[in-house]
Amino acid sequence: MKTKSILSNHMVMLPVIFITFAGYFLSIYRGNTNLASNYSLLIIAANCMYFENPIFGGKIPENKAFKLLAHIDGFLLVVWFVLIVVQLFL
């Protein structure tokens, strides 16, 4: 019997990653940098633990909604990285 980890489930991890991005951008908008740094650690951990991450060449979900969410998460990951680099120079 082949068991699947919850960390490789698209239905769980893609919304969790999206919610962490939403929390990060909301805390940046409100000016709470301490909370934003906590969300940054959570974003890194969630993206590293997600085994079948389509952002890093894993399986792309079959469902159109989850496929769109995977693309949005990939875009938000790039935007997040650019914001981190810009904040380093400010």
Side-chain angles (χ1 to χ4, degrees):
M1 184 170 121
K2 196 175 191 182
T3 59
K4 260 185 124 171
S5 171
I6 196 164
L7 298 176
S8 65
N9 192 352
H10 295 298
M11 290 174 40
V12 174
M13 290 303 290
L14 286 175
V16 166
I17 292 171
F18 182 76
I19 290 170
T20 56
F21 279 124
Y24 173 77
F25 291 121
L26 184 65
S27 63
I28 288 292
Y29 176 72
R30 290 186 177 172
N32 192 348
T33 56
N34 290 334
L35 188 59
S37 67
N38 290 338
Y39 275 113
S40 291
L41 294 174
L42 187 59
I43 287 169
I44 292 170
N47 278 312
C48 288
M49 289 184 348
Y50 182 28
F51 295 136
E52 296 179 6
N53 197 339
I55 298 166
F56 301 121
K59 293 181 184 177
I60 295 177
E62 298 293 326
N63 190 342
K64 286 185 180 183
F66 287 120
K67 190 183 293 187
L68 176 66
L69 191 56
H71 291 298
I72 291 172
D73 285 344
F75 175 73
L76 289 176
L77 185 67
V78 171
V79 170
W80 169 78
F81 181 72
V82 168
L83 269 174
I84 293 294
V85 170
V86 166
Q87 286 177 349
L88 285 174
F89 291 114
L90 291 180

